[in-house]
Amino acid sequence: MGFVMNEHRLFLNGEWSDSVTGETFKDFNPATLEPIGEFQKASSDDVNRAVDSAAEAFLSWSRTPAPQRGKILFRTARMLEERKEELARLMTRENGKVLSEARGDVQEAIDMAYYAAGEGRRLLGETAPSELPDKFCLTVRRPIGVVGLITPFNFPLAIPAWKIMPALISGNTIVFKPSSDTPLLAEELIKILIQAGVPPGVINLVTGSGSEAGAALVRDRRVRAISFTGSLDTGKWILTEAGKDMKRVSLELGGKNPIIVMDDANLDLAVDGVLWGAFGTSGQRCTAASRVIVDEKVLPQFQSRLVQRAKGLRVGNGLNEGIDLGPLINGSQLARVERYVQIGQDEGAKLLLGGSRIKSLPGYFFEPTIFADVGADMRIAQEEIFGPVLSLISTTGIDEAIDIANSVPYGLSSSIYTENIKNAFRAIEEIDAGITYINAPTIGAEIHLPFGGTKASGNGAREAGTTAIDEFTNLKTVYFDYSNRLQKAQIDTEVVR
Ligand code: NAD
């Protein structure tokens, strides 16, 4: 792969530069453990430089007409499209996800770039009648300012694009801190944005650790909003810290997503959905299904069909044909999954399939794993594992199924398999989650619809759709009085806000 440089730099004020300290870190292919490149470990001084440059660029970028900004995003979308296959292959090398899923990840970035580009000709506000004559009332959208974007490893292009495209079209300037496990794809995205015409300073890239570079970004007073996707603990810390100087914070956090299988479900469809929902991306999706709540009447048949099918899943290097599951992202994630399998066994759950690291392969590979006889309150049914580990929970009827679905701290995605329309509507109305699928697995978000969770899955923020524009703009209300006299509210003169 001749286009992969071995040394990589920060991108500050339109230039590639070394970190102030000269410290670097290495990025590895999780399937082969081969090094991919050496990246700059940004210090707080580097983050400071990045914010300086974003603050300066804000003056002109925020005044650039939104349709002009949109043209740059259209070019970005086209360039991503032209390079889709190359980027997908690079992603499989860096992140491990199988090639078909990597293509989907790039496609989401393409779709989001086109979608946000179109917003450049909308960015709609409202008009409303006034209580008074000769007075006009409306809202306009204003950019927030410098925004800090912090992203996880599992969607190396899609999640950054979900944040960068709406932030840019809205007129904000950016300091972007990607996961240390996927800095290469972040760099490729920056290169494309620059080539497409994003001016110097408008987007800045700081690679490095969360505890130093990420934390410095969260603490910088000039950064007016933080958009974060990642784990619950990091999200809690960010919310507290950013709250100290009243930053806007958008959090997309973990999940413990249920699939309910009712006794009237199409079981073949449900087995297909559970396999893809639980084991796609080796379970490293925030929307991965990790609990299947199955009606006891169909549990034996469902269980045996599922295990039979899961035995046929092929684990290996995602660049190879016919592979279903790639590796986990790193050694600590592998150790975490191993720990949870042990916890499940200690809690008395029955290991039906898998449960071990695949030692014959060089990378961080783990077997597709299924537990049966799982109690809804066991730790493996309550805590996010973020690996290919699925818990089967037996239930009776829709009431109990919904209670169990809601019994976890998280509320991101959810699903029900049923042929009964009443059960489907009960799920829509009663599952406490940001997303509910009917007769489809917990994954498959489309970029033009809002995305986000309830409870510990976030702070109510919604990415994607037009709600993404809400996350990255301030609404200003304008009262335009052209009467040429002092007008007081006539409806109730006491109300003067
Ligand atoms: P993580 O929280 O470890 O890291 C995410 C990012 O935060 C990384 O860039 C990291 O360097 C940075 N970070 C870490 N500590 C920081 C700090 N103190 N200050 C600022 N930044 C800091 O998450 P991860 O392991 O990369 O990703 C997996 C997690 O992400 C899972 O919990 C998963 O559910 C969640 N996730 C959620 C969504 C969603 O949309 N809800 C999508 C994908 C992943």
Side-chain angles (χ1 to χ4, degrees), residues 277-293:
F279 300 121
T281 326
S282 303
Q284 300 173 109
R285 288 175 183 251
C286 51
T287 52
S290 53
R291 300 180 293 150
V292 188
I293 302 162

Side-chain angles (χ1 to χ4, degrees), residues 150-155 159 162-163 177-181 208-218 228-235 237-238 251-255 284-287 329-330 333 336 384 386 410 412 451-453 457-458 463:
I150 304 174
T151 57
F153 70 85
N154 62 339
F155 285 88
I159 292 180
W162 279 36
K163 298 182 189 302
K177 205 311 264 163
S179 164
S180 320
D181 286 309
S209 74
S211 53
E212 182 157 11
L217 188 55
V218 171
F228 170 79
T229 300
S231 59
L232 174 59
D233 286 346
T234 313
W237 183 85
I238 288 177
L251 302 176
E252 297 293 350
L253 308 176
Q284 300 173 109
R285 288 175 183 251
C286 51
T287 52
I329 191 69
N330 56 36
Q333 198 50 39
R336 178 185 167 92
E384 187 183 49
F386 227 55
Y410 297 102
L412 185 53
F451 181 94
S457 293
E463 295 201 307

Side-chain angles (χ1 to χ4, degrees), residues 261-275:
V261 179
M262 295 303 298
D263 56 356
D264 53 46
N266 174 336
L267 287 193
D268 288 331
L269 191 67
V271 167
D272 271 347
V274 169
L275 277 178

Side-chain angles (χ1 to χ4, degrees), residues 428-449:
I428 293 168
E429 295 206 295
E430 294 174 36
I431 296 182
D432 189 357
I435 306 163
T436 296
Y437 291 87
I438 316 294
N439 291 328
T442 48
I443 59 183
E446 301 184 23
I447 62 99
H448 53 294
L449 286 147

Side-chain angles (χ1 to χ4, degrees), residues 13 31 106 111 115 122 159 176 188 192 237 314 322 340 351 379 395 399 455 483-484:
N13 205 15
V106 184
D111 293 342
Y115 182 71
R122 285 184 291 269
I159 292 180
F176 169 33
E188 290 301 317
I192 289 173
W237 183 85
R314 283 142 307 177
Y340 270 104
L351 190 59
R379 284 185 64 191
T395 184
D399 292 336
K455 301 192 279 183
S483 66
N484 269 336

